[in-house]
Amino acid sequence: MVEKLQAEWDNDLFTQVQQQFENAAQKLSLDENIFNRLRVPDKALLVSVPFRLDDGSIRVVSGYRVHHNDTLGPYKGGIRYHEKVNLGEVAALAMLMTWKCALVNLPLGGAKGGIQIDPNPLSRNEIQRMTRRFTSEINNFIGPDVDIPAPDMGTNEQVMAWMMDTYSQIHGYAIPEIVTGKPVIIGGSLGRSKATGRGVVYCILEALKAMHQTLDTQTTVAIQGYGNVGSAAAEELAGLGARVFAVSDVTTGIYHEEGLDLNKVQSWIQKNRFLEGFPEAQSISNEELLQLQVKILIPAAAEDVITKEIAQNLKCEMIAEGANGPITLEADKVINDREDIFVIPDVLANAGGVIVSYFEWIQGLQNFFWKEVEVNQRMNEIISHAFQTIYQFSQDKKVTMRMAALMLGIDKISRAMLTRGFFPG
Ligand code: GLU
């Protein structure tokens, strides 16, 4: 019997991820008991986080951490700071983490967390106080063998450093393995900060190979989002000879018909934080960027940015989902029906981040650290192999790359759950 879902999960992204799961489960003829267990998270924590603002007043915000599934190993997933974060969204993202880790064969489960706040207007000290109080509130829910947070939208390695320090202060000794994506100086991994963007590019290279094409100066790219993922992907692609026509952030998009000078964009960002006002390019909206005539489109910002209307007007040949859930369910259907755009789904395209998080975690546990070339090479091996497996499966079963990825990930969890058996029996 299929139970009605709790209203607490009610959220567009949760519905989208749920629908994807149901479609994949149906194609897999998934065991009914496993289906009922996997469609909802294992557990969720909602905390109120009071923290002092610089003016002396105290603000109280909502924080979340959701554990979706830990059949294969400790829960793993990012922490996001964004004004739209809520329980349903975090639960959906936790579920995606379960499929993502399984798909690339990591011995980790799926989790996600976040705080419902726009961090942009906050000062560094305010973010620090909020992060430390949030960490102490979720202290009993996380642990280096239990649940290991990492950065996500709106958080960065400094936030991870504060989480690590707070957790270590509570427990009385340094516990770097409590988070990944932390600065190298306190036990972070070389190559972690650029890993997600690099992984996106490794997948693009595999996709081009599968289409008997190569990457060259004719390969044009547009990237929505110029944060950690988008900027690293842009740099890597430009280094390989591709031309990045357009990038964007929350303030604006910038476009140059011969390709942007990314060094100049980078130094502008360092000085001005946002793209707005960048002089050597035309400014375009985020919607216009998504509809540009380019070979490769990389949505690397928020979820649900490619709507049905935008999907009908897409002029790219390939989409590599740097962000989680950037294509709505209706848009996904439009794109599948068009049959002229190759989609590398989020759970595969952006898995480079969690793969190198796994490397960081095991380097920390062994107190033995690798060179950056080793990190990049091992990540490339894992993600390229995953791409090839998914691509082959999608060809054999005549399903989309997304469906193939989900089917393979879900099937792995399901087999592991059946092997472990049911408690208490
Ligand atoms: N937040 C990233 C993701 O969505 C990374 C998670 C991690 O490294 O644990 O995959």
Side-chain angles (χ1 to χ4, degrees), residues 76-78 97 100 112 148 150-152 180 192 324 350 353-354 357:
K76 185 84 193 78
M97 285 308 298
K100 196 186 298 187
K112 204 74 163 203
I148 307 126
D152 198 84
T180 59
R192 173 61 184 87
N324 290 311
N350 67 36
V354 75
S357 271

Side-chain angles (χ1 to χ4, degrees), residues 165-181:
D165 184 68
T166 307
Y167 189 85
S168 300
Q169 297 297 341
I170 295 170
H171 293 262
Y173 59 103
I175 311 174
E177 320 82 65
I178 181 60
V179 289
T180 59

Side-chain angles (χ1 to χ4, degrees), residues 38-51:
L38 282 178
R39 65 200 281 265
V40 282
D42 284 356
K43 51 194 180 297
L45 179 66
L46 161 62
V47 294
S48 298
V49 185
F51 69 102

Side-chain angles (χ1 to χ4, degrees), residues 69 72 74-77 94-111 347 351 354-355 358 382 409 412-413:
N69 186 281
L72 297 171
Y75 297 103
K76 185 84 193 78
M95 203 170 190
L96 284 180
M97 285 308 298
T98 304
W99 315 148
K100 196 186 298 187
C101 292
L103 197 61
V104 288
N105 287 317
L106 304 181
L108 295 167
V347 282
V354 75
I355 295 172
Y358 166 64
I382 294 179
K412 179 159 184 204
I413 310 276

Side-chain angles (χ1 to χ4, degrees), residues 47 49-53 58-64 79-86 89-90 113-123 126-131 134 152-155 159:
V47 294
V49 185
F51 69 102
R52 197 176 294 282
L53 296 176
I58 287 173
R59 191 168 165 191
V60 184
V61 290
S62 298
Y64 309 86
I79 302 273
R80 71 167 50 177
Y81 292 171
H82 192 275
E83 70 265 33
K84 290 214 191 97
V85 162
N86 61 34
E89 184 197 63
V90 173
I115 300 183
Q116 192 181 80
I117 194 165
D118 174 8
N120 286 322
L122 298 182
S123 72
E126 288 169 336
I127 295 177
Q128 172 165 191
R129 289 192 288 265
M130 179 179 78
T131 299
F134 175 59
D152 198 84
M153 201 194 290
T155 57
V159 170

Side-chain angles (χ1 to χ4, degrees), residues 226-239:
Y226 202 64
N228 172 272
V229 182
S231 62
E235 188 188 311
E236 188 80 14
L237 282 166

